[in-house]
Tab-separated table of all heavy atoms in Angstrom:
chain	number	residue	atom	x	y	z
A	987	MET	N	0.838	-1.198	0.000
A	987	MET	CA	0.000	0.000	0.000
A	987	MET	C	0.868	1.241	0.000
A	987	MET	O	0.684	2.141	-0.805
A	987	MET	CB	-0.957	-0.082	1.184
A	987	MET	CG	-1.164	1.201	1.962
A	987	MET	SD	-1.950	2.443	0.960
A	987	MET	CE	-1.159	3.874	1.598
A	988	VAL	N	1.887	1.262	0.856
A	988	VAL	CA	2.771	2.419	0.882
A	988	VAL	C	3.435	2.567	-0.476
A	988	VAL	O	3.556	3.656	-1.004
A	988	VAL	CB	3.821	2.264	1.996
A	988	VAL	CG1	4.838	3.388	1.922
A	988	VAL	CG2	3.128	2.263	3.346
A	989	GLU	N	3.799	1.425	-1.077
A	989	GLU	CA	4.414	1.478	-2.396
A	989	GLU	C	3.471	2.087	-3.421
A	989	GLU	O	3.872	2.896	-4.234
A	989	GLU	CB	4.770	0.069	-2.858
A	989	GLU	CG	6.201	-0.288	-2.504
A	989	GLU	CD	6.491	-1.706	-2.903
A	989	GLU	OE1	6.080	-2.104	-4.000
A	989	GLU	OE2	7.098	-2.411	-2.101
A	990	THR	N	2.204	1.690	-3.367
A	990	THR	CA	1.229	2.228	-4.304
A	990	THR	C	1.143	3.736	-4.114
A	990	THR	O	1.148	4.495	-5.068
A	990	THR	CB	-0.158	1.610	-4.037
A	990	THR	OG1	0.032	0.224	-3.878
A	990	THR	CG2	-1.099	1.879	-5.167
A	991	GLY	N	1.091	4.172	-2.850
A	991	GLY	CA	1.003	5.593	-2.555
A	991	GLY	C	2.194	6.330	-3.163
A	991	GLY	O	2.039	7.365	-3.815
A	992	ALA	N	3.390	5.758	-2.985
A	992	ALA	CA	4.589	6.402	-3.499
A	992	ALA	C	4.530	6.465	-5.020
A	992	ALA	O	4.907	7.465	-5.629
A	992	ALA	CB	5.818	5.638	-3.043
A	993	GLY	N	4.001	5.386	-5.635
A	993	GLY	CA	3.872	5.359	-7.088
A	993	GLY	C	2.984	6.499	-7.559
A	993	GLY	O	3.303	7.214	-8.507
A	994	ARG	N	1.866	6.674	-6.863
A	994	ARG	CA	0.941	7.736	-7.239
A	994	ARG	C	1.604	9.096	-7.058
A	994	ARG	O	1.409	10.006	-7.837
A	994	ARG	CB	-0.315	7.660	-6.386
A	994	ARG	CG	-1.191	6.504	-6.812
A	994	ARG	CD	-2.391	6.439	-5.915
A	994	ARG	NE	-3.092	5.200	-6.182
A	994	ARG	CZ	-3.770	4.552	-5.258
A	994	ARG	NH1	-3.819	5.003	-4.023
A	994	ARG	NH2	-4.405	3.452	-5.564
A	995	LEU	N	2.420	9.208	-6.012
A	995	LEU	CA	3.113	10.448	-5.741
A	995	LEU	C	4.035	10.781	-6.914
A	995	LEU	O	4.132	11.919	-7.335
A	995	LEU	CB	3.920	10.277	-4.455
A	995	LEU	CG	4.030	11.513	-3.593
A	995	LEU	CD1	2.660	12.060	-3.253
A	995	LEU	CD2	4.785	11.176	-2.316
A	996	HIS	N	4.693	9.766	-7.461
A	996	HIS	CA	5.574	9.970	-8.605
A	996	HIS	C	4.794	10.518	-9.787
A	996	HIS	O	5.202	11.488	-10.409
A	996	HIS	CB	6.233	8.645	-9.001
A	996	HIS	CG	7.559	8.469	-8.330
A	996	HIS	ND1	8.624	9.295	-8.610
A	996	HIS	CD2	7.989	7.589	-7.408
A	996	HIS	CE1	9.661	8.932	-7.862
A	996	HIS	NE2	9.295	7.894	-7.122
A	997	GLN	N	3.643	9.880	-10.064
A	997	GLN	CA	2.816	10.342	-11.175
A	997	GLN	C	2.470	11.810	-10.961
A	997	GLN	O	2.496	12.619	-11.865
A	997	GLN	CB	1.514	9.552	-11.233
A	997	GLN	CG	1.710	8.121	-11.693
A	997	GLN	CD	0.414	7.336	-11.557
A	997	GLN	OE1	-0.618	7.891	-11.234
A	997	GLN	NE2	0.477	6.046	-11.808
A	998	ARG	N	2.150	12.122	-9.732
A	998	ARG	CA	1.723	13.464	-9.397
A	998	ARG	C	2.865	14.463	-9.619
A	998	ARG	O	2.657	15.556	-10.095
A	998	ARG	CB	1.265	13.472	-7.938
A	998	ARG	CG	0.494	14.685	-7.509
A	998	ARG	CD	-0.766	14.879	-8.313
A	998	ARG	NE	-0.944	16.282	-8.651
A	998	ARG	CZ	-1.831	16.719	-9.540
A	998	ARG	NH1	-2.590	15.859	-10.175
A	998	ARG	NH2	-1.956	17.995	-9.781
A	999	ARG	N	4.089	14.024	-9.250
A	999	ARG	CA	5.239	14.904	-9.440
A	999	ARG	C	5.438	15.203	-10.919
A	999	ARG	O	5.705	16.327	-11.312
A	999	ARG	CB	6.506	14.282	-8.857
A	999	ARG	CG	6.556	14.425	-7.360
A	999	ARG	CD	7.978	14.182	-6.856
A	999	ARG	NE	7.928	13.981	-5.433
A	999	ARG	CZ	8.211	12.842	-4.825
A	999	ARG	NH1	8.587	11.800	-5.533
A	999	ARG	NH2	8.139	12.740	-3.531
A	1000	GLY	N	5.249	14.196	-11.776
A	1000	GLY	CA	5.357	14.399	-13.216
A	1000	GLY	C	4.340	15.446	-13.660
A	1000	GLY	O	4.666	16.395	-14.382
A	1001	ALA	N	3.131	15.289	-13.176
A	1001	ALA	CA	2.061	16.208	-13.539
A	1001	ALA	C	2.398	17.612	-13.049
A	1001	ALA	O	2.199	18.598	-13.752
A	1001	ALA	CB	0.750	15.737	-12.930
A	1002	ALA	N	2.983	17.701	-11.845
A	1002	ALA	CA	3.312	19.001	-11.269
A	1002	ALA	C	4.346	19.724	-12.140
A	1002	ALA	O	4.246	20.929	-12.368
A	1002	ALA	CB	3.840	18.831	-9.850
A	1003	ALA	N	5.307	18.964	-12.661
A	1003	ALA	CA	6.342	19.564	-13.504
A	1003	ALA	C	5.711	20.185	-14.749
A	1003	ALA	O	6.087	21.280	-15.181
A	1003	ALA	CB	7.369	18.511	-13.899
A	1004	PHE	N	4.723	19.492	-15.301
A	1004	PHE	CA	4.038	19.982	-16.488
A	1004	PHE	C	3.284	21.277	-16.169
A	1004	PHE	O	3.371	22.261	-16.891
A	1004	PHE	CB	3.082	18.894	-16.981
A	1004	PHE	CG	2.133	19.361	-18.049
A	1004	PHE	CD1	2.564	19.499	-19.373
A	1004	PHE	CD2	0.820	19.657	-17.747
A	1004	PHE	CE1	1.688	19.924	-20.349
A	1004	PHE	CE2	-0.058	20.081	-18.732
A	1004	PHE	CZ	0.376	20.214	-20.039
A	1005	VAL	N	2.584	21.246	-15.057
A	1005	VAL	CA	1.764	22.389	-14.664
A	1005	VAL	C	2.635	23.614	-14.368
A	1005	VAL	O	2.244	24.747	-14.634
A	1005	VAL	CB	0.902	22.022	-13.430
A	1005	VAL	CG1	0.220	23.252	-12.860
A	1005	VAL	CG2	-0.126	20.980	-13.818
A	1006	ALA	N	3.861	23.369	-13.877
A	1006	ALA	CA	4.744	24.454	-13.455
A	1006	ALA	C	4.987	25.453	-14.578
A	1006	ALA	O	5.279	26.628	-14.324
A	1006	ALA	CB	6.063	23.902	-12.946
A	1007	ALA	N	4.878	25.000	-15.837
A	1007	ALA	CA	5.047	25.899	-16.974
A	1007	ALA	C	4.057	27.059	-16.865
A	1007	ALA	O	4.362	28.197	-17.185
A	1007	ALA	CB	4.847	25.132	-18.277
A	1008	LYS	N	2.881	26.781	-16.421
A	1008	LYS	CA	1.895	27.835	-16.204
A	1008	LYS	C	2.065	28.346	-14.777
A	1008	LYS	O	1.535	27.747	-13.837
A	1008	LYS	CB	0.496	27.270	-16.431
A	1008	LYS	CG	0.342	26.621	-17.785
A	1008	LYS	CD	-1.111	26.463	-18.150
A	1008	LYS	CE	-1.171	26.057	-19.621
A	1008	LYS	NZ	-2.495	26.145	-20.177
A	1009	LYS	N	2.826	29.453	-14.661
A	1009	LYS	CA	3.267	29.875	-13.336
A	1009	LYS	C	2.121	30.143	-12.362
A	1009	LYS	O	2.246	29.921	-11.165
A	1009	LYS	CB	4.165	31.115	-13.450
A	1009	LYS	CG	5.553	30.741	-13.955
A	1009	LYS	CD	6.490	31.937	-13.969
A	1009	LYS	CE	7.869	31.480	-14.422
A	1009	LYS	NZ	8.784	32.593	-14.645
A	1010	THR	N	0.999	30.571	-12.893
A	1010	THR	CA	-0.114	30.890	-11.995
A	1010	THR	C	-0.593	29.646	-11.243
A	1010	THR	O	-1.209	29.755	-10.194
A	1010	THR	CB	-1.305	31.468	-12.775
A	1010	THR	OG1	-1.530	30.639	-13.912
A	1010	THR	CG2	-1.048	32.899	-13.208
A	1011	LEU	N	-0.315	28.480	-11.796
A	1011	LEU	CA	-0.813	27.256	-11.152
A	1011	LEU	C	0.200	26.650	-10.193
A	1011	LEU	O	-0.074	25.667	-9.518
A	1011	LEU	CB	-1.183	26.218	-12.213
A	1011	LEU	CG	-2.454	26.541	-12.996
A	1011	LEU	CD1	-2.705	25.472	-14.046
A	1011	LEU	CD2	-3.647	26.675	-12.061
A	1012	LEU	N	1.402	27.262	-10.132
A	1012	LEU	CA	2.464	26.673	-9.324
A	1012	LEU	C	2.040	26.537	-7.858
A	1012	LEU	O	2.202	25.483	-7.244
A	1012	LEU	CB	3.724	27.543	-9.437
A	1012	LEU	CG	4.983	26.940	-8.812
A	1012	LEU	CD1	5.276	25.577	-9.430
A	1012	LEU	CD2	6.162	27.877	-9.034
A	1013	ALA	N	1.465	27.616	-7.336
A	1013	ALA	CA	1.077	27.591	-5.927
A	1013	ALA	C	0.063	26.478	-5.676
A	1013	ALA	O	0.173	25.729	-4.697
A	1013	ALA	CB	0.486	28.936	-5.528
Side-chain angles (χ1 to χ4, degrees):
M987 138 65 215
V988 173
E989 266 177 43
T990 314
R994 286 178 190 149
L995 214 55
H996 267 294
Q997 289 173 6
R998 194 60 222 168
R999 282 197 195 113
F1004 169 78
V1005 170
K1008 305 198 169 192
K1009 285 185 177 172
T1010 47
L1011 288 178
L1012 189 57

